[in-house]
Amino acid sequence: MAYQPDRSQYPQPRPDGSLDIDLRSGKYLKLWQGPQHPGITGNMSLELTVCGDEVVAGRTHVGYLHRGFEKLMERRTFIQCFPIVCRICVPEPDFNEYCYAAAVEELAGIEVPERAQWIRTLILEMGRVNSYLMYLGGQAGAFGQAVIGQWTTYARDLMLDRFEELTGARIYHMFILPGGVRDDLPEGFGRRMEQTLREIEEILEEVREVMFDNAVLKRRAIGLGHIDPALLDAYGVTGPTARAAGVAKDVRRDHPYLVYPRLAFEPVVAQASDVHARADVRRRDLLLSIDLIRQILAGMPGSGAVMTALPNVLHWKIPRGETYIRGECSRGEYGYYLVSDGSGYPRRVNVRGPSYTHAVALLERLIVNVNIADVAALMVSLHTYPPEIER
Amino acid sequence: MHELHERLKAIFPLGELTVQRPDLAFITLGREHLRPLLLELRHRHGFTHLVLLTAVDWIEEGCFQLTYLLNDRAGARDLGLRVMLPREGASMESIHDLWPTAATYQRELREMFGIDFPASPGVDEPFILEGWRDIPPYRRDFDTLKFAEENFNQRPGRATLDPARHMRDRLHPEGE
């Protein structure tokens, strides 16, 4: 049932603006969505208060996979943190590696070879393709289009093949480490990547026709989960969610890093700021990533070092200081705040994932007045990954 | 950043400025000046985006460092505001009315560091931990190894190697 303009049967606002919800009145039901639920991204849960089939209040709950990464890193040497960081975000782990490595390099005064900068950019764009493909499947699935997820999972597998031949791993690549990257591109990598990109493009064209031209998606996603652009800064909204609201926030352009200043691109934007606009921005951003991968492979220097000599990492002390390094991941601003006290261990590592703001304060605001059946689609549209909330 | 610092210093008694990069600097200030400085930066200097709010435990100096990192997108620059609080009874004014999302950061800092933010929504509710009775776990004096040994069983046959000692033994088996 759509949103009912007659609000007489729904909770009335108190003077402070909050809703007057009396759970003993028999008009409301507490409904838990998650932590194990197909309509939840990752392991978190939504505590919904529903009136009829409309959500009148929602609280988010995290903590189901807290592993204490930030604390663990305080007891490990700088190089020992490197294999830990990628595990903070499963679907797009490489941003953790890049941000951590760049933060350590900055505090330690390490120069990274140029070719390594190109390979890092390549890896990050490959990861973005993977993450968006996973998102498209989830977003379509939330509207009952299960087949899209099967197609995009196949397409993602093709990119995982490229990851495997480049890094030796499909999920946690552990490839971008302080000083550069672990290895150079294998022989013939560019040719095989081009083949993969073409196949993904073909699949995306079918996804566009079947998913985006679908009447069900248009009817349900247009107008759902509208974010007022005036709220973007108040709620720390970044990435495609901000770009779908007409604000071209993109760290790749706003705070250029790696070789992005040498690549030609414009951030993808839309205006409607609803679930449909966010899905469309991500689909077009995916095509942009494919284009960027081609630009990177064409523009990369033919040869050169990919790793700089590091001091003995077992006795590596980094001068006292603090810094913040950010990148534009598929969900928005991803950043690492690193503090060194001059010892061989980080004093503090704080991971700033976009889900931290999108999946808690923003989601709790957007979820009010949404139909129960649309909650999953709304949550997926924010493209949140809970591990980066609880780190 | 130096120019911005000079302009702000004319209004607020500010402490040390650390320029980390041309687009990133940190300023230390007293807790009583935080709110007016945040408002000044947000409304007059374009720092509208609260990137993060976190804490660093300087246990040796008996204080917590709160870091409020702000971003000015148009100016492509970041400014970190450092507020030092005594560790004992650490408490700070909430800024959830300026950035609603700050309530989440403050709730986490209350749970993980024990820093209170009176009047911040849900600040006393568990955020990530459930039924936690020990000292806040992100404080430096919380011993993770001791906690793990007391609460988790070791898998038989599993050994933990100290990397430095392990490599020394591998490279110099006869001893140094």
Side-chain angles (χ1 to χ4, degrees), chain A residues 270-313:
Chain A
Q271 302 298 326
S273 196
D274 55 14
V275 171
H276 188 274
R278 293 197 276 278
D280 187 50
V281 162
R282 292 190 181 105
R283 183 188 64 80
R284 289 189 284 140
D285 215 18
L286 211 167
L287 294 172
L288 173 63
S289 280
I290 290 174
D291 179 53
L292 289 176
I293 290 173
R294 287 196 174 111
Q295 288 188 46
I296 293 163
L297 288 172
M300 189 182 292
S303 60
V306 295
M307 188 68 198
T308 194
L310 294 178
N312 183 341
V313 293

XYZ file of all heavy atoms in Angstrom, chain A residues 270-313:
325
model
N 23.032 12.770 -11.283
C 21.603 12.752 -11.603
C 20.944 13.745 -10.660
O 21.594 14.271 -9.745
C 21.028 11.355 -11.432
N 19.684 13.985 -10.846
C 19.034 15.027 -10.055
C 17.956 14.504 -9.102
O 17.664 15.139 -8.098
C 18.383 16.066 -10.996
C 19.365 16.735 -11.958
C 20.446 17.527 -11.253
O 20.206 18.114 -10.203
N 21.651 17.529 -11.818
N 17.349 13.380 -9.423
C 16.124 12.977 -8.710
C 16.366 12.576 -7.259
O 15.452 12.650 -6.432
C 15.443 11.842 -9.462
N 17.580 12.107 -6.941
C 17.947 11.774 -5.563
C 17.065 10.697 -4.947
O 16.806 10.710 -3.742
C 17.925 13.038 -4.692
O 18.618 12.824 -3.487
N 16.577 9.784 -5.751
C 15.797 8.661 -5.217
C 16.509 7.349 -5.552
O 17.622 7.345 -6.093
C 14.368 8.682 -5.775
C 14.342 8.688 -7.295
O 15.382 8.419 -7.901
O 13.270 8.972 -7.868
N 15.864 6.239 -5.227
C 16.505 4.933 -5.421
C 16.833 4.711 -6.897
O 17.909 4.204 -7.246
C 15.583 3.814 -4.886
C 16.120 2.439 -5.266
C 15.449 3.934 -3.373
N 15.928 5.118 -7.765
C 16.155 4.932 -9.193
C 17.354 5.755 -9.666
O 18.209 5.264 -10.426
C 14.894 5.333 -9.976
C 14.964 4.985 -11.430
N 15.537 5.805 -12.361
C 14.549 3.881 -12.104
C 15.472 5.240 -13.554
N 14.877 4.064 -13.426
N 17.449 6.983 -9.224
C 18.566 7.844 -9.626
C 19.888 7.280 -9.116
O 20.905 7.302 -9.826
C 18.352 9.260 -9.094
N 19.877 6.754 -7.903
C 21.127 6.202 -7.348
C 21.564 4.968 -8.150
O 22.753 4.768 -8.405
C 20.942 5.875 -5.863
C 20.750 7.124 -5.010
C 20.966 6.859 -3.537
N 19.805 6.341 -2.853
C 18.787 7.079 -2.395
N 18.797 8.393 -2.575
N 17.780 6.528 -1.749
N 20.591 4.141 -8.524
C 20.926 2.955 -9.323
C 21.477 3.383 -10.685
O 22.458 2.810 -11.181
C 19.694 2.081 -9.492
N 20.874 4.382 -11.273
C 21.299 4.828 -12.592
C 22.692 5.454 -12.542
O 23.521 5.225 -13.427
C 20.278 5.842 -13.142
C 20.586 6.213 -14.575
O 20.785 5.289 -15.386
O 20.663 7.412 -14.885
N 22.957 6.235 -11.498
C 24.296 6.821 -11.349
C 25.343 5.727 -11.238
O 26.409 5.779 -11.870
C 24.344 7.755 -10.112
C 25.776 8.026 -9.689
C 23.645 9.066 -10.427
N 25.030 4.688 -10.484
C 26.029 3.615 -10.305
C 26.230 2.837 -11.604
O 27.344 2.433 -11.923
C 25.603 2.702 -9.160
C 25.669 3.415 -7.828
C 25.488 2.481 -6.658
N 25.543 3.245 -5.423
C 24.488 3.554 -4.685
N 23.289 3.137 -5.031
N 24.629 4.272 -3.583
N 25.163 2.617 -12.334
C 25.306 1.909 -13.615
C 26.192 2.727 -14.564
O 27.114 2.200 -15.194
C 23.932 1.692 -14.254
C 23.980 0.907 -15.559
C 22.622 0.890 -16.240
N 22.173 2.225 -16.647
C 22.592 2.852 -17.749
N 23.438 2.261 -18.558
N 22.150 4.060 -18.042
N 25.969 4.027 -14.615
C 26.771 4.855 -15.512
C 28.202 5.019 -14.979
O 29.152 5.130 -15.743
C 26.108 6.219 -15.705
C 24.828 6.121 -16.552
C 24.309 7.491 -16.915
N 23.645 8.138 -15.793
C 23.756 9.428 -15.482
N 24.512 10.217 -16.216
N 23.116 9.945 -14.454
N 28.330 5.039 -13.657
C 29.664 5.136 -13.062
C 30.468 3.875 -13.366
O 31.695 3.920 -13.517
C 29.531 5.326 -11.545
C 30.628 6.223 -10.989
O 31.254 6.947 -11.784
O 30.857 6.184 -9.772
N 29.759 2.759 -13.451
C 30.416 1.503 -13.793
C 30.992 1.591 -15.214
O 32.130 1.173 -15.474
C 29.376 0.378 -13.717
C 29.847 -1.026 -13.318
C 28.649 -1.904 -12.995
C 30.669 -1.662 -14.384
N 30.206 2.136 -16.108
C 30.701 2.320 -17.473
C 31.892 3.283 -17.494
O 32.836 3.115 -18.264
C 29.573 2.853 -18.371
C 28.412 1.869 -18.586
C 27.255 2.551 -19.317
C 28.865 0.639 -19.361
N 31.836 4.293 -16.616
C 32.966 5.225 -16.510
C 34.219 4.487 -16.042
O 35.322 4.715 -16.546
C 32.622 6.359 -15.543
C 33.756 7.322 -15.188
C 34.238 8.076 -16.412
C 33.324 8.310 -14.118
N 34.054 3.589 -15.073
C 35.207 2.820 -14.572
C 35.814 1.979 -15.692
O 37.041 1.839 -15.776
C 34.781 1.903 -13.424
O 34.684 2.638 -12.239
N 34.957 1.403 -16.508
C 35.462 0.608 -17.636
C 36.293 1.497 -18.556
O 37.376 1.119 -19.009
C 34.274 -0.049 -18.378
C 33.674 -1.144 -17.489
C 34.700 -0.607 -19.735
C 32.412 -1.774 -18.037
N 35.794 2.693 -18.784
C 36.535 3.632 -19.623
C 37.868 4.013 -18.964
O 38.907 4.099 -19.629
C 35.670 4.880 -19.873
C 36.391 5.902 -20.720
O 36.869 5.523 -21.812
O 36.504 7.066 -20.304
N 37.828 4.227 -17.652
C 39.061 4.605 -16.947
C 40.088 3.475 -16.994
O 41.290 3.723 -17.127
C 38.739 4.980 -15.491
C 37.977 6.299 -15.298
C 37.626 6.516 -13.829
C 38.800 7.479 -15.805
N 39.621 2.236 -16.882
C 40.562 1.107 -16.960
C 41.258 1.109 -18.326
O 42.476 0.898 -18.428
C 39.819 -0.227 -16.709
C 39.400 -0.326 -15.241
C 40.698 -1.423 -17.076
C 38.513 -1.502 -14.908
N 40.490 1.385 -19.354
C 41.096 1.445 -20.703
C 42.119 2.590 -20.774
O 43.208 2.431 -21.321
C 40.002 1.650 -21.756
C 39.169 0.408 -21.977
C 38.357 0.500 -23.283
N 37.689 -0.745 -23.551
C 36.354 -0.935 -23.497
N 35.562 0.065 -23.204
N 35.838 -2.111 -23.751
N 41.743 3.737 -20.200
C 42.678 4.873 -20.210
C 43.960 4.545 -19.453
O 45.055 4.907 -19.865
C 42.021 6.100 -19.581
C 40.943 6.757 -20.414
C 40.510 8.080 -19.775
O 41.334 8.888 -19.372
N 39.207 8.296 -19.712
N 43.794 3.858 -18.336
C 44.969 3.519 -17.510
C 45.896 2.573 -18.272
O 47.111 2.782 -18.331
C 44.512 2.873 -16.175
C 43.778 3.907 -15.312
C 45.697 2.296 -15.423
C 42.941 3.298 -14.201
N 45.320 1.537 -18.870
C 46.153 0.564 -19.578
C 46.844 1.212 -20.782
O 47.957 0.836 -21.143
C 45.303 -0.635 -20.008
C 44.875 -1.548 -18.855
C 43.879 -2.589 -19.319
C 46.083 -2.224 -18.206
N 46.171 2.189 -21.388
C 46.773 2.855 -22.547
C 47.828 3.877 -22.125
O 48.818 4.090 -22.839
C 45.675 3.541 -23.358
N 47.633 4.502 -20.976
C 48.516 5.597 -20.573
C 49.658 5.196 -19.673
O 50.566 5.992 -19.414
N 49.651 3.975 -19.203
C 50.656 3.520 -18.248
C 52.046 3.467 -18.888
O 52.166 3.022 -20.034
C 50.234 2.127 -17.774
C 51.021 1.574 -16.635
S 50.468 -0.096 -16.229
C 48.845 0.183 -15.589
N 53.079 3.898 -18.186
C 54.425 3.767 -18.753
C 54.762 2.296 -19.009
O 54.319 1.414 -18.252
C 55.334 4.372 -17.682
C 54.524 4.449 -16.447
C 53.090 4.514 -16.853
N 55.502 2.057 -20.060
C 55.757 0.686 -20.492
C 56.523 -0.151 -19.494
O 56.357 -1.365 -19.425
N 57.376 0.463 -18.726
C 58.168 -0.313 -17.772
C 58.535 0.587 -16.605
O 58.260 1.787 -16.627
C 59.428 -0.848 -18.445
O 60.195 0.247 -18.908
N 59.169 0.007 -15.643
C 59.596 0.782 -14.476
C 59.384 -0.007 -13.204
O 58.684 -1.023 -13.183
N 59.987 0.507 -12.139
C 59.881 -0.184 -10.849
C 58.449 -0.092 -10.327
O 57.715 0.855 -10.640
C 60.836 0.459 -9.854
N 58.031 -1.085 -9.589
C 56.691 -1.063 -8.987
C 56.767 -1.047 -7.458
O 55.743 -1.012 -6.781
C 55.830 -2.264 -9.452
C 55.565 -2.181 -10.934
C 56.472 -3.583 -9.070
N 57.988 -1.103 -6.933
C 58.142 -1.129 -5.478
C 59.410 -0.377 -5.108
O 60.422 -0.517 -5.788
C 58.225 -2.595 -5.023
C 58.207 -2.801 -3.535
S 56.615 -2.367 -2.802
C 57.084 -2.207 -1.097
N 59.314 0.413 -4.081
C 60.501 1.125 -3.617
C 61.108 0.364 -2.442
O 60.428 -0.410 -1.773
C 60.124 2.568 -3.213
O 61.288 3.324 -3.070
C 59.340 2.595 -1.929
N 62.390 0.572 -2.230
C 63.054 -0.144 -1.136
C 62.570 0.399 0.200
O 62.551 1.613 0.416
C 64.565 0.013 -1.269
N 62.153 -0.486 1.061
C 61.700 -0.077 2.394
C 62.803 -0.358 3.407
O 63.662 -1.209 3.168
C 60.453 -0.877 2.795
C 59.179 -0.657 1.988
C 58.074 -1.558 2.498
C 58.732 0.800 2.068
N 62.782 0.340 4.525
C 63.714 -0.047 5.587
C 63.331 -1.432 6.123
O 62.305 -1.980 5.726
C 63.510 1.042 6.643
C 62.200 1.657 6.325
C 61.944 1.473 4.879
N 64.133 -1.970 6.996
C 63.798 -3.267 7.600
C 62.438 -3.148 8.289
O 62.306 -2.473 9.309
C 64.885 -3.649 8.598
C 64.633 -5.017 9.217
O 63.507 -5.521 9.174
N 65.680 -5.611 9.755
N 61.437 -3.777 7.711
C 60.077 -3.554 8.210
C 59.851 -4.143 9.600
O 58.878 -3.801 10.269
C 59.029 -4.110 7.227
C 59.045 -3.324 5.939
C 59.238 -5.598 6.977
